[in-house]
Amino acid sequence: MTSLSRRVILGIYALLVAVPLIVVVTGTFKTTKQLFSSPFGLPSDLAPGNFRTVLTDASMGHSFANSVIVTGSAVLLTLLIGSLASYGLARIPGRLGWLIYGFLVLGMAVPAQANMIPQYVLFQRLGLLDSLTGLILIEIVATMPVAIFIMTGFMRTLPRELYEAGSVDGANPWRTYLSIVLPVSLPSLAATAIFLFVIQWNDLLYPLLFIHDPSKRTLPLALLNFQGEYLTNYPLLFTGVVIASAPIVIAYVFLQRYFVAGMTAGSVKG
């Protein structure tokens, strides 16, 4: 493939990404009539009326807080449990470690929809429906295979002498994990945290399945309020999408350096 053809393909791809993004961002400053009459045009003014409407909506603010609680708790607990599991898997020699690792990451191959009925019945019997605790638990379980997949790949590249050095100094496995493995695994943890944050923050399936109480709705579920059976308020919906996407963009900007380092660290064996 020539350099010109690659540029043409990349240019087409950039347009496919940029055009919907421009429509969404400019649509936040338009009325429904303006959006449908000129979807690709610039807004006639930059009055932040839609942002004011969404931000002053009490239910949206409550849903935003719910998303922060669920996502923050789920990301931290998934990182903690996943890093411990990855640390153990990295130290198990031979086929046994690979067998356990394969069993744990097999969850990535199972569609979430295949487990919806048994999960709902289980949560109903445990009294976890309409509960942020239940939502946190299901987010942890659903994303744990991804976390183990990324972090185990990195921790297996760490030289075995690193673990042996801790043992020689008298450190037990727990101390080795805290003082040696975690500090050198920060790039991998940051990359995993971004993946988990994006998946869990944007998740609509599990809140839609397990949450019926309006006071327990997360932000993606609350955005459905702008979509009706016969009419959808697209300017308010676009505004809600932009607000919901802001934390992800901010997190990526601040963790980009760690994200790139974490994704490339496990590609070369140390």
Side-chain angles (χ1 to χ4, degrees):
M1 183 180 295
T2 64
S3 176
L4 179 60
S5 59
R6 283 197 299 267
R7 291 181 180 180
V8 171
I9 294 175
L10 289 175
I12 295 174
Y13 176 75
L15 285 175
L16 292 176
V17 174
V19 171
L21 183 61
I22 292 173
V23 172
V24 170
V25 173
T26 58
T28 60
F29 297 99
K30 297 178 181 179
T31 64
T32 302
K33 181 179 179 180
Q34 291 172 345
L35 180 64
F36 281 102
S37 62
S38 179
F40 301 103
L42 294 176
S44 56
D45 56 53
L46 295 179
N50 293 326
F51 284 93
R52 188 181 302 111
T53 301
V54 172
L55 292 174
T56 56
D57 188 334
S59 62
M60 287 296 294
H62 196 71
S63 298
F64 188 90
N66 289 339
S67 285
V68 171
I69 294 172
V70 171
T71 305
S73 302
V75 168
L76 290 176
L77 290 173
T78 306
L79 284 177
L80 174 62
I81 300 172
S83 62
L84 286 170
S86 300
Y87 170 60
L89 289 171
R91 298 195 64 178
I92 298 177
R95 294 182 178 179
L96 179 61
W98 284 103
L99 183 63
I100 299 175
Y101 169 75
F103 175 76
L104 292 175
V105 301
L106 188 63
M108 292 192 299
V110 181
Q113 292 80 1
N115 301 319
M116 288 171 56
I117 295 178
Q119 285 172 346
Y120 187 88
V121 174
L122 177 63
F123 271 52
Q124 188 177 42
R125 292 181 178 179
L126 293 176
L128 291 174
L129 294 179
D130 279 330
S131 166
L132 295 184
T133 301
L135 199 55
I136 292 171
L137 290 176
I138 196 63
E139 294 289 356
I140 293 173
V141 172
T143 55
M144 187 62 68
V146 177
I148 292 177
F149 176 77
I150 297 174
M151 289 188 287
T152 302
F154 175 82
M155 290 186 183
R156 278 184 171 154
T157 65
L158 300 178
R160 189 159 297 274
E161 291 79 7
L162 196 64
Y163 302 111
E164 295 174 354
S167 300
V168 170
D169 292 337
N172 56 30
W174 178 251
R175 184 66 178 178
T176 302
Y177 165 77
L178 289 176
S179 302
I180 298 177
V181 176
L182 276 187
V184 300
S185 300
L186 284 179
S188 176
L189 290 172
T192 307
I194 292 178
F195 270 108
L196 295 177
F197 184 79
V198 171
I199 295 172
Q200 295 172 358
W201 180 267
N202 290 327
D203 182 39
L204 176 63
L205 175 63
Y206 290 120
L208 191 61
L209 181 63
F210 296 120
I211 301 298
H212 308 292
D213 185 355
S215 65
K216 302 295 178 61
R217 289 174 177 170
T218 56
L219 194 56
L221 189 58
L223 290 177
L224 292 180
N225 291 336
F226 299 123
Q227 183 175 354
E229 183 177 359
Y230 302 106
L231 180 64
T232 298
N233 193 328
Y234 285 104
L236 288 183
L237 180 61
F238 290 168
T239 305
V241 169
V242 170
I243 294 174
S245 303
I248 299 176
V249 175
I250 294 172
Y252 182 78
V253 168
F254 283 100
L255 296 177
Q256 181 180 11
R257 176 167 59 93
Y258 297 102
F259 176 78
V260 175
M263 294 310 297
T264 58
S267 61
V268 180
K269 186 173 180 57

